[in-house]
Amino acid sequence: MTQHFQFHCGKFQLDLSTPLVMGVVNVTPDSFSDGGRFSRAESAIAHALQLIEEGANILDVGGESTRPNAIPVSLDEELSRVIPVIEALAGQISIPISIDTYKPKVMQAAIAAGASMVNDVRALQEEYALDVVVNSNASVCLMHMQGTPQTMQQNPYYDDVVNDVKAFLQTRLDACVKAGIASKRIIVDPGFGFGKTRVHNIALVQQLESFAALNQPLLVGLSRKSVLGQMTGNDVDARLYASIAASVISVMKGAHIVRVHDVKATVDALKVVQAVL
Ligand code: PT1
Protein backbone atom coordinates (compact mmCIF):
# COMPACT_ATOMS: atom_id res chain seq x y z
CA MET A 1 0.00 0.00 0.00
CA THR A 2 2.80 2.45 0.90
CA GLN A 3 4.23 4.09 -2.22
CA HIS A 4 7.97 4.03 -2.78
CA PHE A 5 9.40 7.04 -4.48
CA GLN A 6 12.76 8.19 -5.71
CA PHE A 7 12.81 11.95 -5.41
CA HIS A 8 15.18 13.86 -7.70
CA CYS A 9 16.41 17.00 -6.06
CA GLY A 10 19.10 18.79 -8.07
CA LYS A 11 22.17 16.55 -8.03
CA PHE A 12 20.70 14.51 -5.17
CA GLN A 13 18.50 11.46 -5.44
CA LEU A 14 16.52 10.81 -2.27
CA ASP A 15 15.09 7.43 -1.37
CA LEU A 16 11.67 7.99 0.18
CA SER A 17 11.12 4.41 1.32
CA THR A 18 11.92 5.69 4.81
CA PRO A 19 10.61 9.02 6.12
CA LEU A 20 12.89 12.05 5.74
CA VAL A 21 13.24 15.03 8.01
CA MET A 22 13.47 18.56 6.59
CA GLY A 23 15.00 20.93 9.14
CA VAL A 24 13.82 24.54 9.26
CA VAL A 25 16.51 27.23 8.95
CA ASN A 26 14.93 30.65 9.40
CA VAL A 27 17.03 33.63 8.41
CA THR A 28 14.80 36.30 9.88
CA PRO A 29 15.56 39.01 12.44
CA ASP A 30 13.22 37.53 15.04
CA SER A 31 14.83 34.08 14.77
CA PHE A 32 18.24 35.22 16.00
CA SER A 33 19.44 37.87 18.37
CA ASP A 34 20.06 41.07 16.47
CA GLY A 35 23.73 41.59 15.87
CA GLY A 36 23.72 42.78 12.27
CA ARG A 37 23.83 40.93 9.00
CA PHE A 38 27.06 39.03 9.36
CA SER A 39 26.10 37.50 12.66
CA ARG A 40 22.60 36.73 11.42
CA ALA A 41 24.08 34.67 8.57
CA GLU A 42 26.63 33.10 10.90
CA SER A 43 23.92 32.07 13.37
CA ALA A 44 21.78 30.58 10.62
CA ILE A 45 24.74 28.63 9.24
CA ALA A 46 25.67 27.32 12.70
CA HIS A 47 22.04 26.33 13.28
CA ALA A 48 21.91 24.55 9.92
CA LEU A 49 25.07 22.56 10.70
CA GLN A 50 23.59 21.63 14.07
CA LEU A 51 20.43 20.32 12.36
CA ILE A 52 22.58 18.17 10.05
CA GLU A 53 24.35 16.69 13.08
CA GLU A 54 20.94 15.93 14.53
CA GLY A 55 20.06 13.93 11.41
CA ALA A 56 18.28 16.32 9.03
CA ASN A 57 17.99 14.97 5.47
CA ILE A 58 17.11 18.32 3.83
CA LEU A 59 17.54 21.93 5.02
CA ASP A 60 14.77 24.45 4.30
CA VAL A 61 16.21 27.98 4.25
CA GLY A 62 13.72 30.84 4.45
CA GLY A 63 14.07 34.63 4.71
CA GLU A 64 10.40 35.65 4.86
CA SER A 65 8.00 34.30 7.46
CA THR A 66 4.74 32.89 6.12
CA ARG A 67 3.08 32.42 9.48
CA PRO A 68 -0.31 34.11 9.92
CA ASN A 69 -0.06 37.94 9.90
CA ALA A 70 3.64 37.90 9.03
CA ILE A 71 5.00 41.15 7.61
CA PRO A 72 6.12 40.85 3.96
CA VAL A 73 9.80 41.36 3.16
CA SER A 74 11.19 43.15 0.09
CA LEU A 75 12.99 41.25 -2.64
CA ASP A 76 16.35 42.83 -1.82
CA GLU A 77 15.99 42.16 1.90
CA GLU A 78 15.01 38.52 1.31
CA LEU A 79 17.96 38.01 -1.07
CA SER A 80 20.39 39.56 1.41
CA ARG A 81 19.15 37.22 4.12
CA VAL A 82 19.15 33.87 2.34
CA ILE A 83 21.77 33.96 -0.42
CA PRO A 84 24.89 34.26 1.80
CA VAL A 85 23.59 31.41 3.96
CA ILE A 86 22.87 29.13 0.98
CA GLU A 87 26.24 29.93 -0.62
CA ALA A 88 28.13 29.12 2.56
CA LEU A 89 26.16 25.93 3.25
CA ALA A 90 26.28 24.59 -0.32
CA GLY A 91 30.07 24.60 -0.20
CA GLN A 92 30.28 22.45 2.90
CA ILE A 93 27.29 20.11 3.24
CA SER A 94 26.19 16.99 1.38
CA ILE A 95 22.42 17.15 1.81
CA PRO A 96 20.01 19.14 -0.37
CA ILE A 97 19.19 22.76 0.44
CA SER A 98 15.62 23.92 -0.13
CA ILE A 99 14.72 27.59 -0.57
CA ASP A 100 11.42 28.57 1.07
CA THR A 101 10.17 31.41 -1.13
CA TYR A 102 7.43 32.37 -3.56
CA LYS A 103 9.54 35.02 -5.34
CA PRO A 104 10.97 33.85 -8.70
CA LYS A 105 14.08 36.04 -8.34
CA VAL A 106 14.87 34.53 -4.96
CA MET A 107 14.34 31.04 -6.40
CA GLN A 108 16.73 31.80 -9.25
CA ALA A 109 19.45 33.31 -7.07
CA ALA A 110 19.10 30.51 -4.52
CA ILE A 111 19.46 27.82 -7.18
CA ALA A 112 22.53 29.63 -8.57
CA ALA A 113 23.92 29.71 -5.01
CA GLY A 114 23.46 25.95 -4.61
CA ALA A 115 19.86 25.24 -3.60
CA SER A 116 18.46 21.98 -5.02
CA MET A 117 14.81 22.49 -4.18
CA VAL A 118 12.20 25.24 -4.28
CA ASN A 119 9.65 25.14 -1.47
CA ASP A 120 6.84 27.44 -2.58
CA VAL A 121 3.81 28.19 -0.42
CA ARG A 122 2.20 29.62 -3.59
CA ALA A 123 2.86 26.48 -5.65
CA LEU A 124 4.67 28.36 -8.48
CA GLN A 125 1.69 30.61 -9.24
CA GLU A 126 3.74 33.84 -9.33
CA GLU A 127 4.58 34.99 -12.84
CA TYR A 128 7.88 33.40 -14.03
CA ALA A 129 8.11 31.04 -11.04
CA LEU A 130 7.33 28.00 -13.20
CA ASP A 131 9.94 29.07 -15.76
CA VAL A 132 12.66 29.38 -13.12
CA VAL A 133 12.12 25.80 -11.97
CA VAL A 134 11.64 24.43 -15.51
CA ASN A 135 14.98 25.94 -16.53
CA SER A 136 16.87 24.35 -13.63
CA ASN A 137 17.32 20.86 -12.26
CA ALA A 138 15.80 21.85 -8.93
CA SER A 139 12.86 20.01 -7.45
CA VAL A 140 9.76 21.74 -6.16
CA CYS A 141 7.35 21.41 -3.25
CA LEU A 142 3.87 22.56 -4.27
CA MET A 143 1.93 23.73 -1.23
CA HIS A 144 -1.72 24.68 -0.84
CA MET A 145 -2.62 28.03 0.70
CA GLN A 146 -5.95 29.83 0.76
CA GLY A 147 -5.43 33.61 0.72
CA THR A 148 -2.14 35.19 1.80
CA PRO A 149 -0.30 35.02 5.13
CA GLN A 150 -1.66 38.49 5.94
CA THR A 151 -5.33 37.51 5.59
CA MET A 152 -5.51 33.72 5.41
CA GLN A 153 -6.80 33.08 8.94
CA GLN A 154 -9.60 35.67 8.77
CA ASN A 155 -12.37 33.42 7.48
CA PRO A 156 -11.12 30.24 5.80
CA TYR A 157 -13.89 28.48 3.88
CA TYR A 158 -14.06 25.25 1.89
CA ASP A 159 -16.88 23.22 0.41
CA ASP A 160 -14.83 20.14 1.31
CA VAL A 161 -11.36 20.96 2.56
CA VAL A 162 -9.75 17.62 1.64
CA ASN A 163 -11.19 17.55 -1.89
CA ASP A 164 -10.55 21.26 -2.47
CA VAL A 165 -6.90 21.04 -1.38
CA LYS A 166 -6.31 17.88 -3.39
CA ALA A 167 -7.95 19.37 -6.50
CA PHE A 168 -5.72 22.47 -6.21
CA LEU A 169 -2.58 20.34 -5.87
CA GLN A 170 -3.63 18.20 -8.86
CA THR A 171 -4.14 21.36 -10.96
CA ARG A 172 -0.71 22.75 -10.01
CA LEU A 173 0.89 19.34 -10.56
CA ASP A 174 -0.61 19.18 -14.07
CA ALA A 175 0.59 22.72 -14.83
CA CYS A 176 4.13 21.86 -13.69
CA VAL A 177 4.34 18.63 -15.67
CA LYS A 178 2.88 20.36 -18.74
CA ALA A 179 5.51 23.11 -18.40
CA GLY A 180 8.27 20.51 -18.37
CA ILE A 181 9.04 19.69 -14.74
CA ALA A 182 9.54 15.93 -14.40
CA SER A 183 7.08 14.40 -11.94
CA LYS A 184 10.00 12.76 -10.08
CA ARG A 185 11.04 16.31 -9.13
CA ILE A 186 7.70 17.32 -7.60
CA ILE A 187 6.33 16.85 -4.10
CA VAL A 188 3.02 18.08 -2.69
CA ASP A 189 1.95 19.56 0.65
CA PRO A 190 -1.55 20.28 2.02
CA GLY A 191 -0.22 23.44 3.72
CA PHE A 192 -1.26 23.04 7.34
CA GLY A 193 -2.24 26.34 8.94
CA PHE A 194 -2.36 28.24 5.63
CA GLY A 195 -5.95 29.47 5.46
CA LYS A 196 -7.32 26.62 7.55
CA THR A 197 -9.30 26.47 10.76
CA ARG A 198 -8.63 23.90 13.44
CA VAL A 199 -11.43 21.78 11.95
CA HIS A 200 -9.89 22.02 8.47
CA ASN A 201 -6.41 21.07 9.73
CA ILE A 202 -7.76 18.09 11.64
CA ALA A 203 -9.78 16.87 8.64
CA LEU A 204 -6.62 17.02 6.52
CA VAL A 205 -4.65 14.97 9.05
CA GLN A 206 -7.49 12.48 9.39
CA GLN A 207 -7.64 11.97 5.64
CA LEU A 208 -3.94 12.33 4.86
CA GLU A 209 -3.87 8.82 3.35
CA SER A 210 -6.14 10.03 0.56
CA PHE A 211 -3.34 12.30 -0.75
CA ALA A 212 -1.68 9.13 -2.04
CA ALA A 213 -4.13 9.46 -4.97
CA LEU A 214 -1.95 12.32 -6.27
CA ASN A 215 0.82 9.78 -6.83
CA GLN A 216 3.53 12.16 -5.62
CA PRO A 217 5.62 12.26 -2.47
CA LEU A 218 3.89 14.06 0.38
CA LEU A 219 5.43 16.68 2.68
CA VAL A 220 3.79 17.75 5.93
CA GLY A 221 4.60 20.80 8.07
CA LEU A 222 2.84 20.93 11.42
CA SER A 223 5.84 21.73 13.64
CA ARG A 224 4.95 24.22 16.41
CA LYS A 225 1.87 25.45 14.53
CA SER A 226 -1.05 27.15 16.24
CA VAL A 227 -3.38 24.21 15.62
CA LEU A 228 -1.15 22.31 18.07
CA GLY A 229 -1.44 25.28 20.44
CA GLN A 230 -5.22 25.09 20.17
CA MET A 231 -5.12 21.38 21.02
CA THR A 232 -2.69 21.63 23.94
CA GLY A 233 -3.08 25.18 25.22
CA ASN A 234 0.68 25.62 24.87
CA ASP A 235 2.60 28.61 23.52
CA VAL A 236 4.79 28.18 20.45
CA ASP A 237 7.93 27.46 22.52
CA ALA A 238 6.20 24.59 24.35
CA ARG A 239 4.85 22.59 21.42
CA LEU A 240 7.65 20.02 21.06
CA TYR A 241 5.70 17.01 22.28
CA ALA A 242 2.63 17.95 20.27
CA SER A 243 4.87 18.43 17.21
CA ILE A 244 6.36 14.96 17.66
CA ALA A 245 2.88 13.45 17.85
CA ALA A 246 1.95 15.31 14.66
CA SER A 247 5.03 14.03 12.78
CA VAL A 248 4.44 10.46 13.96
CA ILE A 249 0.79 10.51 12.91
CA SER A 250 1.64 12.14 9.57
CA VAL A 251 4.24 9.52 8.68
CA MET A 252 1.92 6.70 9.76
CA LYS A 253 -0.67 8.18 7.41
CA GLY A 254 1.70 8.34 4.45
CA ALA A 255 3.85 11.49 4.69
CA HIS A 256 7.29 11.00 3.13
CA ILE A 257 8.92 14.16 4.45
CA VAL A 258 8.19 16.16 7.60
CA ARG A 259 9.27 19.80 7.90
CA VAL A 260 10.29 20.41 11.52
CA HIS A 261 12.20 22.69 13.88
CA ASP A 262 13.17 19.96 16.36
CA VAL A 263 15.19 17.59 14.24
CA LYS A 264 16.80 15.27 16.83
CA ALA A 265 13.54 14.53 18.64
CA THR A 266 11.73 13.94 15.33
CA VAL A 267 14.46 11.67 13.94
CA ASP A 268 14.27 9.48 17.07
CA ALA A 269 10.48 9.34 17.04
CA LEU A 270 10.46 8.40 13.35
CA LYS A 271 12.99 5.61 13.96
CA VAL A 272 10.38 4.04 16.23
CA VAL A 273 7.68 4.50 13.58
CA GLN A 274 9.93 3.00 10.93
CA ALA A 275 10.72 -0.03 13.08
CA VAL A 276 7.07 -0.97 13.31
CA LEU A 277 5.76 0.14 9.89
C1 PT1 B 1 4.67 24.13 5.42
C2 PT1 B 1 5.34 25.36 5.74
C3 PT1 B 1 6.32 25.81 4.82
N1 PT1 B 1 5.08 26.08 6.86
C4 PT1 B 1 5.91 23.95 3.45
N2 PT1 B 1 6.58 25.09 3.70
C5 PT1 B 1 5.72 27.23 7.07
N3 PT1 B 1 6.18 23.24 2.34
C6 PT1 B 1 6.68 27.68 6.16
C7 PT1 B 1 0.55 28.60 12.59
O1 PT1 B 1 -0.63 28.30 12.38
O2 PT1 B 1 3.74 23.63 6.20
N4 PT1 B 1 4.97 23.47 4.30
N5 PT1 B 1 6.96 26.97 5.06
C8 PT1 B 1 5.40 28.04 8.31
N6 PT1 B 1 4.10 28.61 8.19
C9 PT1 B 1 3.23 28.68 9.27
C10 PT1 B 1 1.86 28.57 9.05
C11 PT1 B 1 3.72 28.76 10.55
C12 PT1 B 1 0.98 28.56 10.12
C13 PT1 B 1 2.86 28.78 11.63
C14 PT1 B 1 1.48 28.66 11.43
O3 PT1 B 1 1.01 28.81 13.73
Side-chain angles (χ1 to χ4, degrees):
M1 195 55 223
T2 312
Q3 298 156 300
H4 294 289
F5 292 103
Q6 291 288 325
F7 176 46
H8 291 244
C9 196
K11 65 181 176 181
F12 300 93
Q13 199 170 315
L14 303 179
D15 174 8
L16 300 182
S17 60
T18 59
L20 300 188
V21 173
M22 170 188 265
V24 177
V25 180
N26 287 321
V27 199
T28 49
D30 36 75
S31 321
F32 300 99
S33 58
D34 183 31
R37 276 197 181 155
F38 178 72
S39 95
R40 183 179 65 205
E42 288 298 299
S43 316
I45 292 160
H47 184 63
L49 298 177
Q50 172 71 29
L51 296 185
I52 294 173
E53 275 189 32
E54 293 180 14
N57 306 107
I58 305 170
L59 293 178
D60 190 36
V61 176
E64 175 175 7
S65 174
T66 52
R67 64 182 53 255
N69 306 311
I71 295 153
V73 161
S74 73
L75 170 64
D76 285 346
E77 176 63 21
E78 190 175 343
L79 286 168
S80 80
R81 290 181 185 184
V82 297
I83 300 305
V85 173
I86 292 170
E87 253 166 18
L89 286 173
Q92 55 179 311
I93 68 176
S94 52
I95 64 169
I97 299 167
S98 158
I99 173 66
D100 188 346
T101 191
Y102 61 83
K103 296 188 184 82
K105 286 183 174 154
V106 177
M107 296 174 187
Q108 191 154 34
I111 292 166
S116 303
M117 175 172 170
V118 169
N119 174 25
D120 185 0
V121 300
R122 296 194 185 172
L124 303 184
Q125 292 181 102
E126 291 294 291
E127 196 174 13
Y128 306 122
L130 254 173
D131 306 87
V132 169
V133 176
V134 168
N135 295 309
S136 76
N137 68 346
S139 60
V140 63
C141 178
L142 302 172
M143 199 198 79
H144 174 273
M145 169 166 64
Q146 184 179 91
T148 68
Q150 289 68 48
T151 60
M152 65 191 181
Q153 291 309 111
Q154 281 168 15
N155 201 7
Y157 174 83
Y158 300 87
D159 288 324
D160 175 330
V161 65
V162 176
N163 280 332
D164 291 3
V165 169
K166 252 191 301 196
F168 170 83
L169 292 175
Q170 184 67 62
T171 300
R172 295 308 304 153
L173 191 53
D174 293 345
C176 287
V177 171
K178 193 175 165 215
I181 304 174
S183 62
K184 67 188 177 199
R185 295 203 280 139
I186 307 173
I187 61 180
V188 295
D189 180 345
F192 286 98
F194 287 89
K196 282 128 189 143
T197 64
R198 170 187 168 136
V199 169
H200 296 142
N201 286 309
I202 292 174
L204 287 165
V205 175
Q206 284 173 330
Q207 294 176 65
L208 204 59
E209 290 106 326
S210 74
F211 282 79
L214 294 169
N215 273 306
Q216 295 297 139
L218 184 63
L219 187 148
V220 163
L222 276 161
S223 183
R224 298 185 186 174
K225 284 187 180 171
S226 47
V227 64
L228 304 178
Q230 290 161 355
M231 293 172 181
T232 59
N234 293 342
D235 286 342
V236 64
D237 57 356
R239 295 179 189 160
L240 170 62
Y241 308 134
S243 298
I244 297 303
S247 282
V248 166
I249 293 167
S250 298
V251 167
M252 294 197 78
K253 284 180 163 286
H256 299 88
I257 303 174
V258 289
R259 180 185 181 279
V260 303
H261 302 85
D262 303 287
V263 168
K264 176 62 181 159
T266 306
V267 166
D268 271 8
L270 294 184
K271 282 180 182 166
V272 176
V273 175
Q274 216 180 293
V276 299
L277 270 186

